[in-house]
Amino acid sequence: MSNELDNLVDVTDDIAVEHGLTLDEYKMIVDHMGRVPNMTELGVFSVMWSEHCSYKSSRKWLKKLPVDGPQVIQGPGENAGVIDIDDGDTAIFKMESHNHPSFIEPYQGAATGVGGIMRDVFTMGARPVANLNALRFGAPEHPKTRHLMAGVVSGIGGYGNCIGVPTVGGEVNFDPSYNGNILVNAMCVGTARADKIFYAAATGVGSPVVYVGAKTGRDGIHGATMASAEFDDDSAEKRPTVQVGDPFTEKLLLEACQELMASDAIIGIQDMGAAGLTSSSVEMADKGGVGILIDLDKVPCRETEMTGYEMLLSESQERMLMVLKPGREVEAEKIFHRWGLDFSVIGELTDSNRMVVYHQGEEIADMPLGPLADGAPEYDRPHVPTPARPAFDGDSVQHQPLGDSLKSLMGNSEIASRRWIWEQYDSMVMGDTLVGPGGDAALVRVHGTKKALAVSTDVTPRYCFADPIEGGKQAVAEAYRNISATGAKPLAITNCLNFGNPERPEIMGQFVGCLDGMGQACAALDFPVVSGNVSLYNETNGTGILPTPAIGGVGVIGDYDNAVGSGFTAQGAMAFVVGATHGALGASLYQRDILGNKDVVAPPAVDLQAELRHGAFIREAIGDKLVSAAHDVSDGGLLVATAEMCMRHGLGLSSDMQGDAGYWFGEDQARYVVQVSADHVAAFTEKAARDNVFIAKIGEIGGSDLTINDTLLISIEELNQINESWLPDLMSGKTA
């Protein structure tokens, strides 16, 4: 074996534990190896068996999610999921977390999260066409919140804007549970022709293994391990494990890959993401059923005297690993050099089913691939269900006037406009964004066609905490509604499952419950999971985040001219609510923030058959031109949804609906607010009766005020000012 410094250290139980392994796991590794591993081999096993790479606490439950359907071309297990969007076109997408790095170094953590998820998509042969994000920060008044949010937003915008991919949507929430562990989930959507999709499996003994992109440095070493452990008071010291991104290099890498992909030279391709060269080598060889030999002396490095351990575990950004058809190396090298990128043949495929690594002319690692790739233990961790919560008794509390409650909610941290954030993102670059941030779902044209993708991110963590099963259902259902509200057909989801420490039975119970609810919703709505990510150990000093299974939904509309927006546009048109209202105030913003009631009570129930029926009704009504604007009802209930539609284009509404606080602010599910022109009301009403869908007229659109039963609640101008001012005031230090 090599006499390099790393491998001169004798591996002990203590060193294995320092690498994030348990003693039982270390014993399994020794058994697989048939001997004690050296330090390099231990490092490789430790990252491949980390929670972040192996999903050892979640694999059992992920297998229960629906992943198939006629629209699914590639489900979970590849760099990203692929769905059929007709005419030989596909959408390729995924969502991933970069939580811990973004807390430690918010700009670079968020920026490299965006860069990493885009590489997952263009590795598959797609050209990225849209970025989204799902962000969670601590309490607005927490001393770190403004700093963290400013850095994260700047990092997302800095990377996405520079590479030239529009950031078209997302969500941002605040809660004290994220004070010590923010969430930064990045999603990317791309498009590709169905006959030009690339996969990771490496085949062909003797085929060259090629490194392309940026040089390797010491940044990000043990990033995957760091992402698999909870935080403590010394977490800031982990800054060296955060990668540094370069969007300009990524743009070159994207274009070089696209150029080479136009040929037939590539056998397999894999992004060097978490665990860097190690994970990409292991995954490609294992999927192809071959072995791999790597010569680290051929790896382009930007730092001197890097050890093999460091090179294998580095998570330096903007790098790819490829396996090419023999004889195509010169052709490929010319392309990458023309784009100013490194290109090096660093190894070859073998028939050994082992990963063998050389450095400085000596063998420094020789490991079986099977145990590295799929041999991590699969844990069935103890879990306890979240206890059933009591129903909320809204009849026994003192309610405020509707107008006062509405004003408070529209300036609330959960509902206030996110314009301050999205205006830092370029949402129009590439010229195919039809609807950007601020609506239910963004719409992005499939270039050169009349089709458009509808994309959104959604989850309501307070529901998931109160009842994980219903919360998991609701997250999927809301993504389904947001897409349906544009007129697009929901096709599939990706997810980013953010939870606390899975070794705590109550946290594992939240995970199991949320996946149960998600699975039920995906099955009922024909909305399968095609990709995703699990992020566990989101805790600081034993305090976990709210369970936050973020959902990224993707749908398609055949002709984007038929899509509708989420704001009222027509004086004299009628506003209707689709779906019955029962006044579900439990776990609502009204309960928490208007009544000040912090009790954990049952959230609104999710009727999946109603979601399916109402979604189809909305899409058909839009397609039949009966509905000219639509918006789903979620946080804040019916009155907030109506107010948001008024603000979109400055049109008021006059209503004679009789209703109490539960009616106007309850968060009953499966509901939409729609605009119907006066001459379409009869046909709309008849369709609802035929389809067995409950509707109720809210009022008439027009004027510049929001009025209920001749009582002026607020002018749209004042409503807009309240809604738009909260976040700028927070970031300028005026309020918290």
Side-chain angles (χ1 to χ4, degrees):
M1 300 299 289
S2 168
N3 63 358
E4 70 169 30
L5 181 62
D6 284 331
N7 289 347
L8 291 178
V9 177
D10 291 330
V11 172
T12 64
D13 289 357
D14 289 344
I15 290 175
V17 171
E18 288 173 4
H19 278 69
L21 297 163
T22 68
L23 291 179
D24 285 342
E25 289 170 347
Y26 176 53
K27 183 179 183 299
M28 290 174 62
I29 291 168
V30 172
D31 289 344
H32 283 307
M33 293 285 289
R35 58 175 171 79
V36 173
N38 62 40
M39 277 291 288
T40 301
E41 294 164 338
L42 180 72
V44 168
F45 265 102
S46 73
V47 292
M48 292 306 298
W49 283 23
S50 68
E51 194 73 62
H52 190 76
C53 291
S54 73
Y55 294 167
K56 56 192 175 187
S57 296
S58 58
R59 285 205 309 270
K60 171 183 171 66
W61 304 102
L62 294 173
K63 294 172 185 176
K64 299 177 182 292
L65 293 174
V67 297
D68 298 315
Q71 70 273 46
V72 178
I73 295 174
Q74 175 64 55
E78 271 289 341
N79 286 291
V82 186
I83 58 172
D84 184 359
I85 57 171
D86 295 332
D87 309 312
D89 292 321
T90 70
I92 299 179
F93 58 98
K94 189 180 182 183
M95 181 188 287
E96 277 204 341
S97 62
H98 231 222
N99 302 335
H100 287 179
S102 298
F103 183 81
I104 295 168
E105 206 333 288
Y107 183 95
Q108 291 295 348
T112 52
V114 172
I117 197 62
M118 280 196 284
R119 287 195 302 281
D120 280 341
V121 167
F122 74 73
T123 295
M124 300 287 294
R127 179 168 289 278
V129 297
N131 287 330
L132 300 93
N133 50 72
L135 311 178
R136 299 294 186 284
F137 298 103
E141 65 275 11
H142 190 272
K144 286 189 175 181
T145 294
R146 284 194 297 156
H147 161 71
L148 291 169
M149 185 161 64
V152 164
V153 170
S154 184
I156 291 171
Y159 206 102
N161 296 355
C162 289
I163 197 173
V165 175
T167 301
V168 299
E171 56 172 352
V172 184
N173 293 121
F174 302 86
D175 188 87
S177 72
Y178 307 108
N179 282 348
N181 197 128
I182 65 173
L183 302 184
V184 176
N185 296 172
M187 178 177 172
C188 182
V189 184
T191 57
R193 296 294 292 173
D195 59 354
K196 295 298 286 185
I197 297 170
F198 290 81
Y199 298 95
T203 58
V205 172
S207 298
V209 177
V210 177
Y211 172 117
V212 298
K215 289 180 168 61
T216 295
R218 290 187 171 92
D219 49 322
I221 294 173
H222 276 300
T225 306
M226 181 268 288
S228 305
E230 66 180 77
F231 277 167
D232 55 29
D233 292 331
D234 298 324
S235 293
E237 296 175 3
K238 297 178 180 178
R239 187 167 281 109
T241 62
V242 179
Q243 310 94 323
V244 177
D246 179 355
F248 301 105
T249 298
E250 178 124 332
K251 173 64 172 174
L252 299 175
L253 183 60
L254 165 61
E255 299 301 338
C257 286
Q258 292 275 311
E259 184 174 342
L260 184 59
M261 286 168 169
S263 73
D264 63 347
I266 299 174
I267 295 174
I269 180 170
Q270 175 83 30
D271 164 43
M272 289 193 217
L277 181 57
T278 287
S279 62
S280 54
S281 301
V282 169
E283 290 169 11
M284 291 183 75
D286 182 70
K287 286 177 180 176
V290 294
I292 191 166
L293 184 150
I294 299 291
D295 183 353
L296 295 178
D297 295 335
K298 307 280 183 64
V299 172
C301 293
R302 67 169 185 264
E303 299 184 47
T304 60
E305 298 182 0
M306 288 188 70
T307 66
Y309 178 101
E310 291 172 325
M311 281 188 269
L312 286 170
L313 302 192
S314 168
E315 295 185 7
S316 294
Q317 298 291 285
E318 293 85 41
R319 302 179 301 158
M320 294 280 199
L321 197 67
M322 295 180 177
V323 173
L324 300 180
K325 292 180 179 178
R328 307 297 291 273
E329 298 92 326
V330 173
E331 169 192 348
E333 184 175 21
K334 286 180 180 178
I335 291 173
F336 281 90
H337 283 175
R338 185 163 64 250
W339 287 99
L341 297 167
D342 278 292
F343 177 100
S344 180
V345 178
I346 65 168
E348 65 179 21
L349 301 184
T350 69
D351 61 0
S352 68
N353 293 114
R354 300 181 72 82
M355 180 180 183
V356 179
V357 183
Y358 284 82
H359 188 219
Q360 297 175 349
E362 298 185 23
E363 183 182 284
I364 64 167
D366 182 356
M367 298 162 286
L369 278 170
L372 280 172
D374 298 318
E378 179 180 303
Y379 291 126
D380 183 3
R381 295 197 183 277
H383 61 278
V384 295
T386 298
R389 312 294 190 180
F392 179 68
D393 182 6
D395 296 330
S396 63
V397 297
Q398 184 68 39
H399 296 282
Q400 296 183 21
L402 291 182
D404 292 345
S405 297
L406 178 62
K407 292 175 187 178
S408 295
L409 285 172
M410 297 309 290
N412 176 287
S413 64
E414 300 297 285
I415 292 176
S417 169
R418 277 31 177 167
R419 186 182 304 276
W420 180 91
I421 294 172
W422 80 59
E423 285 189 341
Q424 298 183 55
Y425 305 151
D426 188 338
S427 62
M428 302 304 295
V429 65
M430 298 179 73
D432 282 322
T433 303
L434 303 172
V435 177
D440 285 329
L443 282 175
V444 179
R445 175 173 40 218
V446 179
H447 194 73
T449 77
K450 291 292 289 183
K451 292 180 292 193
L453 298 174
V455 292
S456 73
T457 58
D458 298 282
V459 65
T460 308
R462 65 182 185 278
Y463 291 175
C464 295
F465 180 75
D467 185 332
I469 295 176
E470 291 301 311
K473 289 181 190 176
Q474 193 273 341
V476 174
E478 187 173 351
Y480 185 86
R481 288 198 302 270
N482 281 337
I483 292 168
S484 294
T486 69
K489 178 176 176 54
L491 292 178
I493 69 168
T494 183
N495 58 48
C496 198
L497 308 175
N498 308 273
F499 291 81
N501 186 341
E503 297 168 49
R504 293 169 53 196
E506 68 274 17
I507 299 297
M508 200 63 210
Q510 292 173 353
F511 184 88
V512 172
C514 283
L515 262 69
D516 183 359
M518 288 169 51
Q520 291 183 44
C522 290
L525 301 176
D526 187 21
F527 207 25
V529 182
V530 298
S531 60
N533 173 241
V534 179
S535 176
L536 302 177
Y537 295 95
N538 288 289
E539 297 202 359
T540 300
N541 293 327
T543 300
I545 62 165
L546 293 178
T548 312
I551 301 297
V554 176
V556 70
I557 187 166
D559 185 344
Y560 54 73
D561 287 338
N562 294 330
V564 300
S566 59
F568 294 138
T569 59
Q571 296 267 3
M574 299 298 162
F576 284 82
V577 58
V578 175
T581 299
H582 304 289
L585 287 174
S588 68
L589 292 183
Y590 183 86
Q591 174 207 336
R592 189 189 73 183
D593 296 337
I594 302 302
L595 299 178
N597 185 308
K598 307 299 183 185
D599 294 343
V600 181
V601 298
V606 179
D607 182 339
L608 293 171
Q609 290 308 306
E611 295 283 4
L612 184 67
R613 189 170 65 254
H614 295 179
F617 172 80
I618 288 290
R619 295 192 301 273
E620 290 170 7
I622 291 171
D624 293 341
K625 307 293 186 183
L626 301 179
V627 165
S628 48
H631 182 30
D632 90 301
V633 179
S634 54
D635 283 343
L638 180 58
L639 191 53
V640 166
T642 303
E644 288 173 337
M645 294 190 79
C646 289
M647 287 191 302
R648 194 78 171 167
H649 301 293
L651 280 178
L653 178 134
S654 177
S655 173
D656 57 5
M657 291 287 284
Q658 301 290 327
D660 58 9
Y663 181 85
W664 287 111
F665 297 116
E667 296 179 7
D668 302 88
Q669 300 296 295
R671 293 186 298 162
Y672 303 77
V673 177
V674 299
Q675 172 182 282
V676 180
S677 65
D679 56 350
H680 286 148
V681 167
F684 178 74
T685 303
E686 290 168 6
K687 177 174 175 52
R690 285 196 310 271
D691 293 356
N692 191 30
V693 172
F694 177 87
I695 62 170
K697 189 175 78 171
I698 300 171
E700 182 175 344
I701 299 162
S704 57
D705 300 319
L706 182 53
T707 302
I708 296 179
N709 293 318
D710 297 324
T711 300
L712 174 65
L713 295 190
I714 191 171
S715 71
I716 304 307
E717 182 180 359
E718 182 184 356
L719 189 69
N720 193 66
Q721 192 278 328
I722 290 171
N723 187 246
E724 292 285 351
S725 62
W726 182 83
L727 192 48
D729 285 351
L730 173 70
M731 297 309 293
S732 66
K734 292 181 182 178
T735 61

